[in-house]
Amino acid sequence: MNWGELVIALRQKVREVRPLIHHITNLVVTNLTANVTLAVGASPVMAYAREEVADMARLARAVVLNMGTLTADEVEAMLLAGRAASAAGIPVIFDPVGAGATPFRTATAQRIIRELHIDILRGNASEIAAVSGFGGQTRGVDAGEISVPAGQMARQVARDLGTVVVVTGATDYISDGERLIAVANGHALLTTVTGTGCSATSVIAAFRAVEADGVTAGAAALAYYGLAAEHAAATSRGPASFQVALLDALYKLEGEDLARGVKIREL
């Protein structure tokens, strides 16, 4: 498989289709994730009211559920949206932000996974460990330590849950329980701006909206996103300028610059 050409094709298809991505996401990152979704070429909508989330989900090409600023009402809205999306054949991408930090967060993430059909589960290593029984401890919403290699965990959790699992970190791992792919694109400045992990989930959702295979969509999205971060870091003076440069890089990155820069390995 020529990953460079594939990433170019999917990135272009997102621009052509301009898929609607319905987010139920957290208050901290709403502006950034909406702008990242726009920069990629997709169309974001942030709708949270229980009275409309099912209807909005049915209009979308993908649904993002992100529990960063968790409330009981938001959980019910996520369940309504997730059920409506699944019934309509629309992929659901779940980001269990902060799972492992508190019992409420961990139990909520496990409930969402149990009650909904999750197409792609995306989190850092400790979040994925916490929701799957590997025992991860999360510091607030930041990754903690885990005792098992992230790639091995991604494959095992994907197998156990019957879904695609994406574990993001210095190297990202994507698995459906059989295939395992590593993506080495990215930059340390991503850890200095809040919402960059949540934004990665939005990019994955945009690519999944135009690509039926979740492993392919996840790997391509993260390579593109990570390479954009590398380009942004090259012109940044610190976190503030990096955030602006990241949006510009996501908007501009295409063609041979994209094909030559992706670092994707099938393991």
Side-chain angles (χ1 to χ4, degrees):
M1 179 183 295
N2 187 322
W3 279 103
E5 291 183 2
L6 181 58
V7 176
I8 289 175
L10 290 179
R11 195 261 181 277
Q12 184 59 34
K13 193 171 182 181
V14 170
R15 279 187 169 175
E16 292 171 355
V17 174
R18 197 167 177 79
L20 180 67
I21 311 298
H22 177 202
H23 294 71
I24 300 179
T25 191
N26 73 75
L27 300 176
V28 178
V29 306
T30 301
N31 180 265
L32 179 60
T33 53
N35 282 325
V36 164
T37 304
L38 285 169
V40 172
S43 179
V45 61
M46 277 62 177
Y48 306 87
R50 284 184 288 175
E51 294 82 0
E52 72 166 350
V53 290
D55 292 329
M56 191 65 76
R58 284 188 284 263
L59 295 174
R61 292 285 295 267
V63 172
V64 171
L65 305 179
N66 174 309
M67 61 178 218
T69 47
L70 193 58
T71 67
D73 282 345
E74 186 178 86
V75 173
E76 296 307 314
M78 287 184 180
L79 293 171
L80 288 168
R83 292 185 189 113
S86 295
I90 296 161
V92 175
I93 295 83
F94 178 43
D95 191 336
V97 179
T102 67
F104 177 56
R105 281 185 179 272
T106 303
T108 297
Q110 291 170 337
R111 179 188 176 195
I112 289 171
I113 291 169
R114 185 173 62 250
E115 295 190 17
L116 297 180
H117 173 74
I118 302 301
D119 189 76
I120 299 176
L121 175 65
R122 200 295 304 176
N124 62 42
S126 57
E127 290 164 346
I128 300 301
V131 301
S132 60
F134 277 87
Q137 183 65 45
T138 304
R139 301 188 302 269
V141 298
D142 295 323
E145 298 297 322
I146 61 168
S147 59
V148 63
Q152 177 184 331
M153 181 176 65
R155 177 178 273 158
Q156 186 60 54
V157 175
R159 188 174 294 151
D160 291 345
L161 297 179
T163 191
V164 172
V165 171
V166 177
V167 181
T168 50
T171 299
D172 305 320
Y173 295 95
I174 305 95
S175 182
D176 59 2
E178 298 299 330
R179 294 172 292 169
L180 178 62
I181 294 177
V183 176
N185 292 104
H187 194 277
L189 277 172
L190 284 167
T191 66
T192 69
V193 176
T194 191
T196 55
C198 302
S199 296
T201 303
S202 296
V203 178
I204 291 170
F207 275 57
R208 178 61 183 85
V210 300
E211 167 55 50
D213 181 65
V215 172
T216 299
L222 288 173
Y224 158 69
Y225 184 70
L227 182 58
E230 294 170 20
H231 283 225
T235 62
S236 299
R237 300 183 303 278
S241 57
F242 174 74
Q243 178 175 314
V244 174
L246 178 61
L247 291 172
D248 287 342
L250 288 166
Y251 181 76
K252 294 177 180 178
L253 185 57
E254 60 185 359
E256 285 304 308
D257 285 344
L258 180 55
R260 287 194 301 264
V262 297
K263 302 170 186 174
I264 302 173
R265 291 183 298 123
E266 299 184 46
L267 304 176

